[in-house]
């Protein structure tokens, strides 16, 4: 099914959450991918923990949601927020009054979950390897050249000497002496050899300090650095202390130890997020200042608890978005494309939506069903959304008692209310998606409305690896046109017209990433012509 002129795999740089999800999403669409990662394993820091229902919908589509929920079981009872002078003195905080959880439950077949990034990444890695996706650690991208027909990448590091890495590229690779001509600033070319490999496309999922972005000379815009923070990652048996006080985040307001605890495994591993009250390091392996343990005990309100600080890392909440998300055959995804403050818990979640967006487009281009311009719609669609989410994140603070100002987007509209207004979508004149509430009603560019189907699935499960027509029950004209054009058709049930803003004879096209690509509320005089033009617009051909 691949374009015979484009047989090489897609090279993914970075085996973080976004790189691994991209590999799984490409595999779901039948595209071979190879992942390289400079570190010896996945993240050793817990970092992100909240994965929203839109992320879980992506995991559902690529077949890993159950494994992710299983990994999240440890924190299933740790969902609430607390605040107080110390953890011992803390009280539960009520949910924000402006959030309508009934809307949320009706909006998706999936639920958000809490699982630390250092537990989630090994799950994604296992799922990738189970599907035969090669993931090579201790392999650093040092250079790349895009000649318009493919990307030649220079890889360095311990794994370049064995035959496995070269074999992943089907023998289209060459070992060369290290060092010479390697352009990446700080890419860390290791002693030994460099491997030159050929990929059809390259995805830079290589984090905030992206080598790929630097090699392409892509600048970033945004508010920049917005503060100074320290993450104290520690081990302590807090089982007795937190029994009856389970929390996702517990804010402490002690004047000597202001900050917030975050549950990592709910029993032994925890994070204390605070300011630069004591010296902190940039390197997670640097020995932490021993006074951090006393500060943690003060914040706990438990002077006798044994606390082992594993790291005290300095970091800066930052908002910066790359000016281009794609150039030629190279794309940026995740933190490489956008860094944001963590207060809306949106960084990793936004990156996972990038993966969902780019995977089907690369698949369509490679198979020849999509035109080459489809790749440009990745930037057109994801850049404004990522910029908006990063901006909204920057407006929020870490303070749990401070409610979001009323001018901010509804928190779940931020999760699921994005609308692609330019890109692989056809405008039907229905106007912009509201951002002050969670409303998904079939506007082109928005996530398909979820309705439970009679067989227990969701309308979201009707999306395929190419655009699918979802007609209203009496849309015989659209059905016949789809049959004539070999467009797949799926039945969304009797409630579908109302949910999707259709009359009884309207229809819509859902893209593989479960985004509405085109909608006609009613029947049309020339359905074959209209449907052909809609499919051509979505697939940029
Ligand atoms: C305290 C904190 C809390 C957070 N909480 C949340 C949350 O609740 N929800 C949320 O959505 N987000 C959260 N985030 C943000 C989230 O952690 C990041 O957005 C996420 O890690 C980005 O994933 P990524 O895969 O894009 O990049 P990374 O996780 O940075 O992965 C990039 C990978 O690329 C590798 N790499 C880099 N250069 C090269 C190279 N040249 N060659 C090969 N490999 C390379 C790196 O080693 C790394 O493994 C939080 C962040 C912090 C700091």
């Amino acid at each position: 099914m691949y374009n015979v002129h484009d047989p090489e795999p897609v090279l993914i740089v970075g085996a973080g959450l976004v790189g691994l999800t991209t590999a799984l999403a490409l595999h779901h669409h039948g595209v071979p991918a190879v992942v390289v990662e400079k570190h010896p394993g996945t993240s050793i820091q817990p970092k992100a923990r909240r994965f929203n229902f839109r992320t879980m919908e992506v995991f559902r589509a690529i077949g890993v949601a159950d494994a992710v929920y299983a990994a999240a079981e440890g924190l299933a009872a740790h969902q609430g927020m607390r605040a107080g002078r110390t953890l011992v003195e803390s009280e539960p905080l009520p949910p924000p009054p402006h959030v309508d959880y009934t809307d949320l439950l009706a909006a998706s077949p999936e639920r958000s979950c809490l699982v630390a990034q250092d537990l989630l990444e090994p799950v994604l890695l296992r799922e990738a390897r189970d599907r035969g996706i090669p993931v090579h650690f201790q392999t650093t991208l040092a250079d790349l050249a895009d000649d318009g027909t493919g990307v030649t990448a220079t890889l360095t590091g311990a794994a370049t000497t064995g035959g496995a890495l070269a074999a992943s590229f089907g023998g289209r690779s060459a070992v060369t002496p290290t060092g010479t001509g390697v352009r990446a600033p700080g890419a860390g070319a290791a002693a030994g050899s460099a491997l030159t490999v050929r990929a059809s496309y390259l995805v830079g999922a290589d984090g905030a300090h992206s080598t790929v972005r630097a090699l392409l000379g892509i600048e970033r815009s945004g508010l920049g650095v917005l503060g100074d923070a320290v993450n104290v990652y520690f081990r302590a048996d807090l089982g007795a202390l937190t029994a009856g006080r389970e929390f996702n985040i517990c804010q402490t307001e002690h004047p000597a130890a202001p900050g917030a605890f975050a549950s990592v495994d709910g029993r032994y591993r925890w994070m204390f997020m605070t300011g630069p009250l004591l010296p902190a390091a940039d390197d997670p392996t640097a020995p932490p200042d021993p006074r951090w343990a006393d500060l943690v005990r003060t914040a706990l309100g438990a002077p006798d608890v044994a606390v082992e600080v594993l790291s005290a890392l300095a970091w800066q909440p930052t908002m910066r978005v790359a000016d281009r998300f794609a150039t030629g055959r190279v794309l940026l995804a995740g933190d490489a494309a956008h860094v944001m403050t963590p207060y809306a818990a949106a960084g990793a979640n936004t990156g996972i939506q990038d993966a969902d967006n780019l995977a089907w487009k690369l698949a369509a281009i490679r198979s020849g069903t999509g035109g080459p311009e489809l790749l440009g719609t990745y930037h057109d669609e994801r850049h404004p959304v990522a910029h908006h989410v990063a901006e909204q994140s920057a407006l929020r603070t870490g303070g749990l008692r401070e409610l979001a100002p009323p001018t901010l987007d509804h928190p779940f509209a931020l999760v699921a209310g994005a609308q692609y207004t330019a890109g692989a979508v056809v405008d039907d004149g229905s106007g912009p998606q509201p951002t002050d509430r969670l409303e998904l009603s079939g506007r082109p560019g928005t996530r398909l409305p979820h309705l439970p189907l009679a067989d227990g699935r969701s309308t979201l499960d009707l999306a395929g690896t190419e655009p699918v027509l979802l007609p209203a029950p009496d849309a015989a004209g659209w059905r016949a046109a789809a049959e004539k054009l070999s467009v797949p058709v799926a039945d969304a049930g009797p409630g579908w017209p109302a949910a999707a803003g259709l009359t009884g004879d309207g229809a819509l096209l859902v893209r593989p990433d479960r985004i509405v690509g085109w909608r006609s509320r009613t029947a049309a005089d020339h359905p074959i012509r209209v449907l052909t033009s809609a499919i051509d617009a979505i697939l940029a051909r």
Side-chain angles (χ1 to χ4, degrees):
M1 73 184 277
Y2 304 133
N3 185 336
V4 286
H5 304 297
D6 232 6
E8 295 96 355
V10 174
L11 173 59
I12 298 169
V13 183
L17 286 172
V18 174
L20 292 170
T21 305
T22 303
L24 284 159
L26 285 169
H27 181 269
H28 172 70
H29 289 292
V31 177
V34 179
V35 186
V36 296
E37 163 59 51
K38 68 179 178 185
H39 283 128
T42 50
S43 176
I44 56 168
Q45 288 288 322
K47 297 196 289 184
R49 297 171 313 122
R50 173 60 75 190
F51 294 93
N52 63 40
F53 65 88
R54 286 282 283 129
T55 287
M56 294 310 299
E57 289 168 9
V58 176
F59 288 160
R60 174 188 181 101
I62 61 180
V64 302
D66 289 345
V68 173
Y69 285 127
E73 269 170 24
L75 288 183
H78 297 252
Q79 303 290 325
M81 301 295 190
R82 301 179 69 88
R85 189 168 170 275
T86 61
L87 186 147
V88 168
E89 297 161 279
S90 67
E91 299 284 341
L93 291 175
H98 61 289
V99 175
D100 184 345
Y101 288 93
T102 338
D103 280 5
L104 181 63
L105 292 175
S108 176
E110 298 295 336
R111 300 287 162 261
S112 83
C113 72
L114 210 52
V115 52
Q117 193 162 338
D118 63 341
L119 293 180
L120 177 54
E121 287 184 1
V123 171
L124 299 176
L125 175 64
R126 190 188 65 223
E127 294 288 331
R129 286 191 161 153
D130 283 354
R131 288 159 173 75
I133 301 169
V135 182
H136 298 281
F137 290 99
Q138 295 185 292
T139 308
T140 300
L141 174 93
D143 206 351
L144 68 90
D146 174 359
D147 62 16
T149 62
V151 182
T152 303
T154 308
L155 305 175
T156 62
T160 55
T161 47
L165 181 59
S168 298
F169 290 88
R172 291 161 195 270
S173 48
V175 180
T176 52
T178 320
T180 49
V182 168
R183 290 184 297 146
S193 55
L195 192 68
T196 304
V197 298
R198 185 83 177 152
S200 51
Y201 293 87
L202 185 148
V203 180
D206 51 346
H209 306 290
S210 170
T211 304
V212 175
R213 195 184 61 234
L215 286 169
L216 296 174
I218 295 177
E219 301 289 335
R220 290 184 295 171
S221 310
L223 300 171
V225 172
L226 297 167
D228 285 294
V230 177
N231 269 1
V232 184
Y233 175 30
F234 66 98
R235 200 183 284 278
D237 183 352
L238 300 185
L241 203 67
T242 56
R245 298 190 185 97
E246 290 80 7
F247 60 87
N248 166 3
I249 295 181
C250 175
Q251 177 168 299
T252 61
E253 291 147 357
H254 192 295
F261 288 102
S263 301
V264 176
D265 68 3
R267 177 77 194 258
Y268 300 107
R269 297 195 299 137
W270 308 89
M271 268 199 294
F272 185 58
M273 302 172 287
T274 185
L277 305 173
L278 291 168
D282 292 329
D283 173 6
T285 58
D289 188 308
R291 291 170 294 170
W292 280 113
D294 296 329
L295 196 125
V296 166
R297 276 186 283 266
T298 303
L300 289 171
D304 300 325
V305 166
V307 170
E308 181 197 359
V309 175
L310 302 169
S311 60
L313 282 184
W315 64 284
Q316 293 182 311
T318 301
M319 184 257 180
R320 281 201 184 101
V321 180
D323 294 341
R324 297 279 327 151
F325 281 17
T327 164
R329 289 180 169 243
V330 184
L331 300 91
L332 299 176
D335 278 16
H338 41 73
V339 283
M340 54 190 81
T341 64
Y343 309 126
N349 288 300
T350 305
I352 285 164
Q353 298 302 322
D354 296 341
D356 197 30
N357 188 289
L358 70 83
W360 73 270
K361 293 178 179 175
L362 281 183
I365 295 167
R366 283 176 57 104
S367 70
T369 57
E373 263 105 67
L374 188 55
L375 207 54
T377 70
Y378 171 64
H379 169 88
D380 298 340
E381 294 185 346
R382 293 305 300 160
H383 181 273
V385 170
H387 197 277
H388 177 70
V389 175
E391 228 168 34
Q392 286 287 321
S393 299
L395 290 170
R396 289 169 165 79
T397 72
L400 298 186
R401 294 191 196 271
E402 295 158 44
L403 293 179
T407 50
L408 293 188
D409 278 2
H410 186 292
F412 297 121
L414 198 60
V415 169
Q419 181 178 25
Y420 301 142
T421 51
V425 289
V426 183
D427 184 11
D428 72 349
S430 54
Q433 177 78 354
T435 59
D436 58 349
R437 58 188 186 275
L438 183 59
E439 179 192 298
L440 292 162
S441 56
R443 283 186 176 82
T446 63
R447 204 277 262 125
L448 188 75
H450 152 68
L451 273 190
L453 300 175
D455 61 6
R457 293 183 304 153
S458 159
T459 42
L460 301 184
D461 300 323
L462 300 175
T465 51
E466 54 188 302
V468 175
L469 186 88
L470 303 188
D474 304 326
W478 292 120
R479 278 177 185 277
E483 198 174 315
K484 190 103 184 153
L485 298 169
S486 302
V487 172
V489 179
D491 281 314
W496 185 236
L502 307 174
T503 63
D505 54 9
L508 62 73
L509 280 170
V510 59
R511 307 188 327 188
D513 55 359
R514 300 164 305 288
I515 297 292
V516 178
W518 161 91
R519 174 172 73 169
S520 175
R521 291 172 181 277
T522 58
D525 290 341
H526 303 286
I528 293 185
R529 201 189 305 158
V530 177
L531 199 56
T532 303
S533 126
I535 298 262
D536 285 351
I538 292 171
L539 294 174
R541 57 185 195 197

